[in-house]
Amino acid sequence: MRSLLAILPALVGVATAAGCPYAGGEHTNLRRDAPGPTGGFLEQFYENDGKGTIMTSDVGMPMEDQNSLKAGERGPTLLEDFIFRQKIQHFDHERVPERAVHARGAGAHGVFKSYGDFSNITAASFLGAKNKETPVFVRFSTVAGSRGSADTARDVHGFATRFYTDEGNFDIVGNNIPVFFIQDAIKFPDLVHSVKPNPDSEIPQAATAHDTAWDFFSQQPSALHTLFWAMAGNGIVRSYRHMDGFGVHTFRLVTDDGKSKLVKWHWKTLQGKASLVWEEAQVTSGKNADFHRQDLFDAIKEGKFPEWELGVQIMDESDQLKFGFDLLDPTKFVPEELVPVTPLGKMTLNLNPKNFFAETEQIMFQPGHVVRGVDFTEDPLLQGRLFSYLDTQLNRNGGPNFEQLPINRPRVPIHNNNRDGMGQMFIPLNTAAYTPNTLNDGAPLQANQTVNNGFFTTPGRSVSGKLLRAVSSTFADVWSQPRLFYNSLVPAEQQFLINAMRFEISHVQSSVVKQNIIIQLNRVDNDLAQRVARVVGVPAPAPDPKFYNNNKTDFVSIFSKPLLKIDALKVGVLATVSQSIGGGASLKQAQMLKDAFQKDGADVIIVGETLSPGVDQTYSSADATGFDGIIVTDGADGLFGANSSSTFFPTGRPGQIVTDGFRWGKPIGALGSGKSALPASGVVNGPGVFTADSSDLPKFVTTFEGGLKTFKFLDRFPLDS
């Protein structure tokens, strides 16, 4: 056995799911050894340098390492100084190559709990019993930027989940957008080269507002669908907690007896979906490049654990061309009106990493990490990813043993004939490392569909046809679904998308590229193309209606539905510590607001001129990007007058916080005399502006919480006439 894990007893019993047409029956091959609780497995690898521990070398020799060995008090350092050499050489090699894509990210541990026994659609053990729990690790990310780029850059966001199941590791390596830019993995280097910074200047970082990106988009129109999602709010999410996730490809679920269904994986946020607006995202990048990382870490640290529901769209094998497009085309999604999502279970992230590098940076996801009951389809992008993800992990780690790193190890025993390689962490005892053998009684034994509960390829899968290099004719229409997505947005979201394209294309220097992209946009929607063309200096095109349609879906808009909860949303309460302008009453009211909001899950940051008792943040360090809603307390209005100034913060900072918050669609509130600060900051009465007398504080809090759930008040954003 090659695992250090002590296997815990399995959950007992097999139950049926309530209210699900795909639940029922028994999982006859259910494993009885279950993974341990979240974080428990990794504890054996913790290195605790606690009180009283002695400094040692990597091989255990007690030592001092604060001064190098020199020849004389002022002489040169000696080559003999092995302590210096070992310390500095280890430091020189601390970094490993960052990911070519998805370099910037954050992660967390958690647990997945199955809603029922789904053995009638999959042999996967982690879905084989009601309330069965499986440890998980999730890594969220942006795609194009380097590891040091800002979190709120406009981008597709990675959503990769590792299930440490009792049958081995299973990864859903997806994004927060259900489609992708290309239909064949052979074009992936072209896509990434085009969106990365220009190779001559290494500019711009984590941005597609440059010629090569839009040149590729215009010449590869399969990219339009993902591009539309990214130019909308999905590219600038409020937080990782407020975005959905998708497996992108069509996969297969297979039962023990070999019956298969086609499925699309979905993660639905139980916080609700939310996004920033573009100027807000840009300012946030400068004010707090770690905005998303900090939000996730802080929410978990505070016990406000984010949750997602895992579901699948379930389709028959015969449905591959049923919906007017090919289910093997990764640039298409299936509207939920056509195939509803069947909920399978809930994931809760409840434990932060103890060490970012050892866990979040070293976890190595692969679409090829599957378990019995899950199988692939012939999607050409998926087929290429099955090779590429393993290959890139070999490059990052310099050898094949990266699966032995603690964060990558399965929570079940490992038995195979893989041997040696750089960084081998086990001591294999089997001298007959080959199959078949008699010297080790044939072990490790083979496992398949009928023997030893192993993985198996879907019975009956077959291919036929002549060899060729071509895109399938069933993939040809790449314009109808971008229009479906665009049609499904509320008018303000459509305007955000158009404004994003105007911003990006205005940075393109080539007139040919600008003209070509307008041609492609016009195949999606003439009004959209005209509105973009008008700003970027390209003649407005005549309609090109071949792919125009009026189709819509209710499941893609971010702004059409309120948030489900306000957990870990940030409310900035603007107060004053100055006794001359009402400091005592202001801080007292601020604390009352803090107590009220925090009972319902929101975080309150009390802002004052100095870090006096009761103040969480100074005006000099505060900014509207740090708050989801802003309230001016009774007595703080003196900070907003035309003649108010202070050496404690930049001129006009309190008013700027309110002004920016209002412009970015946030709920704005004021109590008592604080109401006079709103018109002084450019706030106009209307939806999302909440005022009350100080005596009405409980009712005010309840109303303002409704504003937090609305999140963005879209009437404040102008629309093209």
Side-chain angles (χ1 to χ4, degrees):
M1 187 174 97
R2 298 169 62 197
S3 173
L4 300 178
L5 173 64
I7 306 301
L8 297 180
L11 297 173
V12 179
V14 179
T16 58
C20 172
Y22 292 98
E26 289 200 356
H27 196 305
T28 56
N29 293 319
L30 182 64
R31 292 276 296 261
R32 297 302 175 188
D33 48 347
T38 298
F41 172 81
L42 296 179
E43 290 178 3
Q44 63 187 303
F45 302 103
Y46 290 170
E47 183 181 55
N48 185 8
D49 299 327
K51 182 178 180 180
T53 56
I54 305 300
M55 179 72 70
T56 72
S57 69
D58 286 341
V59 292
M61 179 194 72
M63 65 176 189
E64 61 171 330
D65 71 346
Q66 292 303 291
N67 296 287
S68 57
L69 183 65
K70 298 184 288 293
E73 184 177 9
R74 301 175 60 249
T77 299
L78 299 181
L79 183 62
E80 175 187 321
D81 190 355
F82 69 102
I83 293 176
F84 164 75
R85 285 187 284 106
Q86 290 178 2
K87 182 177 181 180
I88 203 71
Q89 284 180 325
H90 193 287
F91 170 77
D92 291 342
H93 293 266
E94 281 182 359
R95 301 280 75 81
V96 299
E98 70 175 35
R99 292 167 169 85
V101 289
H102 297 276
R104 175 75 178 183
H109 296 272
V111 63
F112 172 80
K113 180 182 287 189
S114 176
Y115 286 157
D117 170 15
F118 298 97
S119 57
N120 62 337
I121 58 170
T122 178
S125 175
F126 79 101
L127 293 171
K130 185 177 182 179
N131 294 328
K132 183 169 186 176
E133 294 189 352
T134 300
V136 299
F137 188 89
V138 177
R139 186 177 185 272
F140 305 104
S141 57
T142 52
V143 175
S146 68
R147 187 180 169 194
S149 58
D151 284 345
T152 57
R154 184 182 293 279
D155 205 344
V156 176
H157 291 73
F159 194 130
T161 306
R162 161 83 43 87
F163 297 81
Y164 297 96
T165 85
D166 56 14
E167 294 181 317
N169 291 350
F170 170 49
D171 294 351
I172 299 178
V173 193
N175 291 324
N176 75 320
I177 294 173
V179 292
F180 200 63
F181 294 95
I182 52 176
Q183 298 166 318
D184 189 327
I186 200 169
K187 294 177 180 176
F188 197 75
D190 303 298
L191 166 66
V192 175
H193 290 166
S194 75
V195 301
K196 286 288 190 178
N198 292 318
D200 53 353
S201 63
E202 188 64 9
I203 298 172
Q205 177 58 245
T208 53
H210 56 98
D211 285 57
T212 59
W214 287 86
D215 187 28
F216 182 84
F217 299 151
S218 68
Q219 298 302 298
Q220 188 62 49
S222 66
L224 288 173
H225 195 184
T226 305
L227 185 66
F228 272 51
W229 283 73
M231 292 296 111
N234 303 277
I236 46 173
V237 294
R238 159 58 179 85
S239 76
Y240 299 134
R241 299 181 298 117
H242 293 96
M243 67 185 194
D244 288 344
F246 304 89
V248 179
H249 310 286
T250 300
F251 288 84
R252 285 183 168 93
L253 292 182
V254 194
T255 61
D256 283 321
D257 59 5
K259 296 178 182 178
S260 64
K261 294 285 187 179
L262 301 177
V263 298
K264 292 273 194 181
W265 295 105
H266 289 251
W267 288 110
K268 289 188 177 291
T269 173
L270 297 181
Q271 289 68 238
K273 293 189 291 185
S275 87
L276 307 175
V277 294
W278 179 226
E279 185 189 15
E280 179 187 14
Q282 290 177 294
V283 175
T284 303
S285 292
K287 296 286 185 176
N288 183 3
D290 304 304
F291 185 74
H292 288 155
R293 285 184 175 187
Q294 184 175 6
D295 175 89
L296 179 66
F297 194 94
D298 288 352
I300 294 173
K301 182 179 179 181
E302 294 167 5
K304 298 166 183 175
F305 303 139
E307 299 174 324
W308 287 262
E309 189 170 68
L310 177 66
V312 284
Q313 290 176 290
I314 303 173
M315 297 154 285
D316 292 331
E317 292 277 358
S318 59
D319 290 344
Q320 294 189 28
L321 300 176
K322 175 180 178 179
F323 306 109
F325 56 88
D326 196 328
L327 290 180
L328 302 184
D329 181 352
T331 69
K332 307 296 191 299
F333 76 105
V334 181
E336 292 183 42
E337 290 85 354
L338 300 180
V339 182
V341 173
T342 298
L344 300 178
K346 184 173 73 172
M347 176 176 71
T348 304
L349 298 184
N350 56 15
L351 182 68
N352 282 317
K354 296 292 188 291
N355 183 280
F356 182 90
F357 178 82
E359 297 168 74
T360 306
E361 190 66 15
Q362 287 199 135
I363 193 165
M364 308 296 171
F365 294 97
Q366 293 183 49
H369 284 160
V370 294
V371 291
R372 176 185 176 91
V374 180
D375 196 13
F376 312 110
T377 64
E378 293 69 37
D379 174 345
L381 180 61
L382 173 59
Q383 292 288 316
R385 292 180 76 202
L386 292 173
F387 167 79
S388 181
Y389 277 65
L390 172 58
D391 192 47
T392 195
Q393 311 304 8
L394 292 169
N395 175 62
R396 293 189 70 220
N397 290 275
N401 292 318
F402 58 87
E403 301 284 23
Q404 298 176 9
L405 295 169
I407 192 65
N408 292 321
R409 290 188 189 186
R411 309 298 169 85
V412 293
I414 306 165
H415 302 285
N416 57 49
N417 293 324
N418 295 338
R419 289 296 185 270
D420 307 337
M422 184 181 296
Q424 175 59 250
M425 301 180 196
F426 295 112
I427 303 175
L429 302 181
N430 174 19
T431 59
Y434 51 86
T435 299
N437 72 69
T438 60
L439 299 180
N440 198 47
D441 297 322
L445 304 176
Q446 301 294 297
N448 54 37
Q449 181 180 2
T450 58
V451 178
N452 294 321
N453 214 50
F455 171 82
F456 60 96
T457 298
T458 305
R461 277 184 65 182
S462 63
V463 295
S464 63
K466 298 179 179 179
L467 304 184
L468 75 163
R469 292 186 183 273
V471 176
S472 172
S473 60
T474 57
F475 288 19
D477 177 7
V478 295
W479 298 277
S480 294
Q481 281 219 340
R483 184 176 176 96
L484 162 68
F485 174 78
Y486 181 73
N487 289 346
S488 304
L489 304 180
V490 300
E493 282 180 292
Q494 293 180 337
Q495 187 69 58
F496 292 157
L497 183 152
I498 289 168
N499 291 347
M501 289 188 172
R502 288 167 170 172
F503 173 87
E504 299 253 333
I505 300 170
S506 67
H507 287 79
V508 172
Q509 302 300 307
S510 169
S511 59
V512 173
V513 171
K514 287 189 282 190
Q515 181 64 54
N516 287 340
I517 196 65
I518 295 301
I519 290 172
Q520 295 296 348
L521 296 180
N522 192 41
R523 292 174 180 170
V524 176
D525 187 274
N526 179 250
D527 177 66
L528 179 153
Q530 289 199 23
R531 291 161 72 180
V532 175
R534 191 161 61 237
V535 171
V536 301
V538 174
D544 186 358
K546 180 178 180 180
F547 300 99
Y548 294 174
N549 62 75
N550 296 317
N551 298 332
K552 292 183 178 181
T553 175
D554 288 333
F555 296 91
V556 301
S557 171
I558 290 178
F559 295 102
S560 63
K561 296 180 176 64
L563 296 182
L564 302 176
K565 59 178 73 170
I566 63 172
D567 284 8
L569 292 186
K570 302 293 190 290
V571 179
V573 175
L574 308 188
T576 181
V577 301
S578 173
Q579 296 298 320
S580 63
I581 55 174
S586 173
L587 283 177
K588 182 178 179 180
Q589 185 178 80
Q591 187 60 52
M592 293 171 64
L593 288 167
K594 187 171 189 174
D595 294 341
F597 280 112
Q598 291 190 161
K599 288 179 181 178
D600 297 322
D603 295 334
V604 173
I605 298 95
I606 298 175
V607 185
E609 300 94 318
T610 63
L611 287 177
S612 302
V615 175
D616 303 307
Q617 189 175 22
T618 63
Y619 282 105
S620 63
S621 64
D623 184 84
T625 58
F627 310 128
D628 298 295
I630 299 163
I631 299 170
V632 182
T633 58
D634 192 354
D637 50 294
L639 299 176
F640 294 81
N643 298 320
S644 63
S645 62
S646 173
T647 58
F648 291 143
F649 50 80
T651 301
R653 175 59 60 82
Q656 181 188 7
I657 293 172
V658 175
T659 300
D660 289 343
F662 180 77
R663 291 194 304 112
W664 297 336
K666 302 173 190 280
I668 303 294
L671 289 164
S673 64
K675 290 182 282 187
S676 65
L678 302 190
S681 303
V683 175
V684 179
N685 283 331
V689 177
F690 306 95
T691 59
D693 294 331
S694 295
S695 58
D696 293 333
L697 190 142
K699 181 179 179 181
F700 171 84
V701 169
T702 300
T703 306
F704 196 88
E705 287 179 350
L708 288 173
K709 287 186 175 181
T710 300
F711 196 70
K712 296 292 186 190
F713 289 87
L714 301 182
D715 62 296
R716 300 180 198 166
F717 300 96
L719 305 179
D720 291 337
S721 57

